[in-house]
Amino acid sequence: MAIHLTGVMEADIGEVCLLVGDPARVELLSKDWKDVRLVTNSREFKMVSGYWKGKKVSCCSTGIGVSSTEIAVIELLEKGAKYLVRVGGCGAWKKDILPGEIIVNYAMARDSGTLSAYGRDTFPAVANPILVQNILKILSSHHIKTHFGIGLTTQSYYLGQDRKPKIEHILDTNDDMTYWKKRSILNCEMETAAIYILASIYGAFAANCLVVHGNRISEQWLGNEEYHYTHLNVSKLVLDACFHTIEQL
């Protein structure tokens, strides 16, 4: 039995498992599934399973950041999860990427830390190329504006992403945004690299499909209602892309 995903058994895991950060988003993404059942709800980890077009699927929250994501993904893999796709949000670091558009990352840069336990910092954090290709195809067929490239997974929300806390004691940032922008990084978030590395090591299929919540260059932001609707919409397309991949392989 899983230690943190309490009560989760192998029989609970769907053929595809969507991963979200926010536990509240689990209910949103599963609202149109059939026979939805709460599997676990412990700390930041909430998981449901149900049926999408007759196929068993799951949605599990990972909380914020690499460390909690590592816990969720390892325990899902222990129970036999094979297809893991992060459907979440991110900040765009290029001025031509608008809030509400989609980013699919085929690979992630990352900072040092938790993931070094699984491999040196030179170990690649990459998605499954067939799964990524199928997600891109289905998004394109629905005329959804999608950007494709390398993103950044950071373990810091504030200084590590060039945000300055509104506290009297001011620290200098390392100007990380400028460094990564010069290397054509599209976006920044806090979980994907963990999913990609663990899936690669343990033989699972992984990808992401991220809604641009805001543009860090223009400081334009998407309203919450549209943000949630976009997550719901693309999650259905991601499921279709995953099952198309399963049929191919």
Side-chain angles (χ1 to χ4, degrees):
M1 187 174 292
I3 297 173
H4 300 88
L5 301 184
T6 54
V8 176
M9 306 297 288
E10 187 172 345
D12 296 318
I13 306 293
E15 292 184 72
V16 175
C17 185
L18 301 181
L19 300 176
V20 298
D22 184 357
R25 201 168 295 140
V26 172
E27 183 177 357
L28 172 70
L29 266 57
S30 62
K31 67 185 294 290
D32 295 324
W33 299 359
K34 303 296 184 184
D35 301 323
V36 177
R37 179 176 67 91
L38 178 65
V39 178
T40 190
N41 189 5
S42 175
R43 298 190 181 187
E44 63 263 55
F45 307 117
K46 182 177 182 179
M47 177 179 163
V48 302
S49 289
Y51 292 86
W52 171 252
K53 298 183 177 179
K55 306 286 182 64
K56 189 173 181 178
V57 293
S58 301
C59 183
C60 182
S61 61
T62 64
I64 296 175
V66 163
S67 295
S68 62
T69 300
E70 178 238 11
I71 291 171
V73 172
I74 285 292
E75 295 190 11
L76 289 167
L77 292 170
E78 285 181 329
K79 299 303 177 186
K82 287 297 182 185
Y83 283 80
L84 300 166
V85 182
R86 170 164 154 71
V87 179
C90 69
W93 282 12
K94 285 187 173 293
K95 64 181 179 181
D96 61 333
I97 302 177
L98 301 179
E101 296 178 346
I102 303 300
I103 294 177
V104 174
N105 296 121
Y106 63 83
M108 304 300 290
R110 64 187 187 276
D111 49 17
S112 299
T114 301
L115 296 175
S116 63
Y118 291 90
R120 297 174 181 170
D121 291 342
T122 51
F123 189 92
V126 294
N128 179 272
I130 299 172
L131 183 53
V132 165
Q133 183 181 46
N134 285 332
I135 291 173
L136 289 170
K137 281 183 178 179
I138 198 166
L139 292 172
S140 176
S141 71
H142 285 75
H143 308 289
I144 295 174
K145 180 66 173 179
T146 305
H147 303 268
F148 174 64
I150 301 175
L152 170 68
T153 295
T154 178
Q155 295 182 68
S156 166
Y157 180 82
Y158 287 98
L159 287 188
Q161 296 186 34
D162 280 350
R163 292 183 173 95
K164 294 184 178 181
K166 296 177 180 178
I167 303 172
E168 184 177 348
H169 182 68
I170 303 298
L171 295 175
D172 293 331
T173 69
N174 294 321
D175 203 18
D176 283 347
M177 185 186 292
T178 298
Y179 174 86
W180 290 115
K181 280 171 56 185
K182 287 180 177 179
R183 286 152 180 82
S184 298
I185 291 296
L186 297 185
N187 58 306
C188 185
E189 51 86 84
M190 299 183 69
E191 293 81 26
T192 296
I195 300 164
Y196 285 4
I197 287 175
L198 296 175
S200 294
I201 291 172
Y202 295 111
F205 293 73
N208 73 6
C209 184
L210 303 180
V211 181
V212 177
H213 196 189
N215 185 296
R216 288 289 307 284
I217 310 304
S218 66
E219 289 299 327
Q220 292 178 287
W221 296 87
L222 192 67
N224 282 337
E225 185 174 345
E226 186 177 356
Y227 184 57
H228 295 316
Y229 169 79
T230 305
H231 274 90
L232 175 61
N233 186 34
V234 299
S235 72
K236 298 174 182 179
L237 301 180
V238 164
L239 289 174
D240 287 342
C242 287
F243 284 111
H244 181 61
T245 305
I246 291 171
E247 292 167 3
Q248 284 181 299
L249 300 175

